Amino acid sequence: MTSTLERLSPWLFTIGLFVAWELVCRLAKVDPFIMPAPSQVFLAVGQYWRPLLRHSGVTLWTTMAGFALAVAFGVALGLVVGWSRAIYRGIYPVMIGFNSIPKVAVVPILVVWFGIGEIPAILTAFLISFFPIVVNVATGLATMEPELEDVLRALGARKMDIMLKVGIPRAQPYLFGSLKVAITLAFVGAVVSETIAANAGLGFLMVQAGSNFQMPLVFAGLLGLAVEGIAMYAVFAAIERRMTRWAFRSSMSAGT
Amino acid sequence: MSAFVELDKVSLAYRGASGEVLALRDTSLKVAKGEFAAVVGPSGCGKSTLMKLVTGLVAPTAGTVGVAGARVTGPVKLAGMAFQNPSLLPWRSVIDNVLLPLEIVEPHRGRFRAERKRYAAAAGALLGTVGLDGFGHRFPWELSGGMQQRVSLCRALIHEPALLMLDEPFAALDAFTREELWCVLRDLWQKIGFTVILVTHDLREAAFLADTIHVMSARPGRIVATRRVDLARPRDLSVCFEPAFVDIVHDLRGRIAEVRQG
């Protein structure tokens, strides 16, 4: 009984949210220009599904491209940073500083360098999402049990052996955990860049619709963003579960 | 006669949070080949430092450490180690955990891939001798603490090391499991005949298992007394209730009380 309810509850909650939104709009007679009701938003989705789909596709592609760069670069840098304490200490302040810069501020620079279009979106997605990957991979490596390292070093293991046999497998749950955070960040980065400087993508669509006073279409764009965000998160959460089943299981029996 | 493990006036200082800390001072220790030696002492006396010195993980500030007739200058590569925490790899099955040292240490490392079957059979047999027959394909988190510690012992022994270093391996176990594992260790040692240095704070454990017990002083640590245990082998758990055994434990307790005061 509980399990059925638990399975259904996310759907029930989402539907409930839309119903509440609809009711507020109707009962308070909110001007659809200020806040369109869900029914109007869904109507706009039906009306403009072609452009919505096309622009969603562009956003999806720029997000995934930026994310792929972030994974490649983030894992590599994470391995380097986690390799030794000296590198870790040296590079960390720079990374914190870099991460503190709001990426909106970087978009104009990227536009100057690469022009308006997909490349600034891809790079913004990359810049905003690589940090959690680096930190997680480095943490996974740095929190290795010292006893285990002693066991292997006493056998004559080189640093590389310890990394391959222990460090990298150990960092995997951290890596896959960070991916689902990174993908949503990459998405945010891509959309931010699109709203500022692009000629395609959901962010661009929403800015255009807004300047044409088509509020239902703006909200349809938001809806599209939310759906895409949830879908990407779900994909990477599923990958995480598949790849690092041992981490979920072993933490469940950590009492022994 | 030259000892298998020999520490000659070894001192070790390291930089701690509050300046220089002297962990060991003029420690001398000899362990013969095939001997079961135990090191007991108050907590924080540098027993674990001793382990790292013998295995070559840290270099002494003064004095020399020798193992198997050669001076130790780097990791000795012929030692197996086990600690209080079994520290098994949760993503590897039990048998793959036991096989880990063979993937690292020469000459097994080079032929591991080709002769994996043979090595797996050896690991299975070793698991059998510690009472874990048929557990090879389980995962560490499916085992109890005592069973995990047995696996950890197997991992320390799979490459047939000449020297086994144990750092309070049974300290986290309940009393019954601990006594069970004493017997497991006793049987392994009698069967294979490696040299053991067991660091412990359990005096009964030291007296039951060891040939020789070294008592360490509080920090900076050094060996203040060495006592042979002449109880007949093979020893049964009932030996723990014999007067001779109780005398040894009493004597050790007295000495440790002395060094704690002084």
Side-chain angles (χ1 to χ4, degrees):
Chain A
M1 279 304 278
T2 353
S3 71
T4 334
L5 184 67
E6 265 180 26
R7 238 193 1 263
L8 288 178
S9 72
W11 299 102
L12 292 175
F13 195 83
T14 312
I15 293 167
L17 189 71
F18 280 120
V19 169
W21 177 4
E22 182 79 38
L23 285 177
V24 169
C25 284
R26 281 179 187 241
L27 293 177
K29 296 199 171 31
V30 180
D31 186 344
F33 180 68
I34 304 295
M35 177 86 175
S39 55
Q40 289 160 316
V41 174
F42 284 117
L43 216 65
V45 171
Q47 198 180 344
Y48 298 105
W49 67 272
R50 257 175 201 287
L52 275 171
L53 209 60
R54 188 169 66 80
H55 290 287
S56 301
V58 172
T59 303
L60 184 65
W61 132 250
T62 51
T63 302
M64 291 311 286
F67 176 71
L69 284 177
V71 172
F73 180 75
V75 169
L77 187 61
L79 290 178
V80 171
V81 171
W83 186 274
S84 90
R85 284 198 67 80
I87 302 176
Y88 188 87
R89 289 175 69 93
I91 225 166
Y92 220 69
V94 178
M95 290 223 310
I96 300 278
F98 185 80
N99 192 49
S100 311
I101 301 171
K103 298 304 172 292
V104 193
V106 183
V107 177
I109 303 173
L110 294 176
V111 172
V112 171
W113 288 348
F114 301 105
I116 285 175
E118 288 174 356
I119 291 177
I122 292 172
L123 289 179
T124 315
F126 158 68
L127 289 176
I128 205 171
S129 64
F130 83 88
F131 188 74
I133 301 177
V134 175
V135 171
N136 274 280
V137 171
T139 307
L141 295 180
T143 53
M144 200 157 41
E145 297 90 336
E147 286 103 342
L148 197 55
E149 220 176 322
D150 284 351
V151 168
L152 297 183
R153 276 178 54 215
L155 295 169
R158 290 181 296 256
K159 185 85 183 169
M160 194 62 172
D161 294 326
I162 297 174
M163 278 291 175
L164 287 175
K165 302 288 180 198
V166 185
I168 291 173
R170 218 191 104 79
Q172 272 182 25
Y174 293 84
L175 168 66
F176 286 105
S178 74
L179 289 190
K180 60 187 190 205
V181 179
I183 187 71
T184 39
L185 284 176
F187 196 52
V188 169
V191 174
V192 160
S193 176
E194 282 169 2
T195 55
I196 297 176
N199 34 38
L202 277 177
F204 169 75
L205 175 88
M206 283 164 62
V207 172
Q208 288 287 304
S211 54
N212 292 335
F213 304 107
Q214 292 173 291
M215 284 313 270
L217 183 54
V218 175
F219 275 80
L222 281 183
L223 206 63
L225 288 179
V227 169
E228 253 181 77
I230 293 172
M232 287 182 200
Y233 182 92
V235 166
F236 283 94
I239 291 176
E240 179 190 12
R241 289 218 152 249
R242 246 193 100 74
M243 298 300 288
T244 54
R245 199 166 287 161
W246 58 266
F248 286 99
R249 301 269 279 276
S250 58
S251 63
M252 268 158 62
S253 60
T256 55
Chain B
M1 152 205 129
S2 78
F4 186 66
V5 176
E6 184 164 7
L7 274 72
D8 187 25
K9 295 202 178 69
V10 168
S11 296
L12 183 87
Y14 61 89
R15 219 171 284 286
S18 54
E20 193 111 310
V21 178
L22 196 59
L24 290 179
R25 190 181 59 201
D26 286 341
T27 303
S28 294
L29 176 71
K30 279 185 184 176
V31 180
K33 190 160 179 62
E35 186 180 343
F36 197 129
V39 178
V40 299
S43 59
C45 68
K47 290 175 296 199
S48 302
T49 311
L50 199 68
M51 308 273 299
K52 291 196 176 188
L53 279 168
V54 173
T55 48
L57 293 176
V58 295
T61 322
T64 55
V65 181
V67 172
R71 190 171 166 177
V72 174
T73 50
V76 290
K77 299 183 187 182
L78 46 68
M81 295 176 99
F83 299 86
Q84 177 175 340
N85 184 343
S87 61
L88 302 172
L89 305 177
W91 58 89
R92 283 175 170 238
S93 65
V94 163
I95 200 128
D96 286 334
N97 264 291
V98 174
L99 288 172
L100 178 66
L102 299 181
E103 297 172 26
I104 304 264
V105 81
E106 296 289 359
H108 307 289
R109 180 193 186 107
R111 37 179 129 111
F112 185 77
R113 234 170 254 267
E115 298 189 39
R116 204 197 139 82
K117 269 217 174 85
R118 192 170 64 79
Y119 283 131
L126 189 58
L127 283 169
T129 60
V130 300
L132 286 179
D133 234 343
F135 281 88
H137 297 287
R138 298 289 198 88
F139 280 86
W141 31 269
E142 296 177 299
L143 308 183
S144 68
M147 287 158 108
Q148 289 187 18
Q149 199 53 264
R150 289 171 201 235
V151 177
S152 177
L153 272 180
C154 288
R155 182 179 64 190
L157 291 171
I158 186 68
H159 57 297
E160 296 171 358
L163 177 64
L164 180 63
M165 304 292 294
L166 301 171
D167 189 353
E168 304 194 0
F170 311 133
L173 304 173
D174 65 87
F176 292 110
T177 313
R178 193 181 308 154
E179 289 181 359
E180 230 171 82
L181 283 182
W182 289 357
C183 297
V184 167
L185 179 58
R186 172 198 65 193
D187 295 342
L188 281 171
W189 176 72
Q190 244 147 15
K191 190 162 157 253
I192 309 175
F194 39 81
T195 309
V196 187
I197 297 182
L198 167 73
V199 166
T200 179
H201 56 229
D202 184 339
L203 302 179
R204 293 175 64 242
E205 181 172 303
F208 175 70
L209 287 167
D211 295 319
T212 319
I213 300 174
H214 304 275
V215 180
M216 274 184 92
S217 70
R219 182 165 286 176
R222 71 205 152 79
I223 306 289
V224 290
T226 296
R227 163 161 197 151
R228 284 203 62 81
V229 180
D230 293 318
L231 303 169
R233 294 207 185 255
R235 294 175 195 159
D236 187 77
L237 274 177
S238 61
V239 82
C240 300
F241 303 100
E242 282 174 16
F245 183 91
V246 176
D247 282 348
I248 294 170
V249 173
H250 264 297
D251 175 42
L252 289 171
R253 186 175 295 279
R255 285 172 198 260
I256 289 188
E258 264 169 49
V259 296
R260 271 167 67 95
Q261 314 253 310

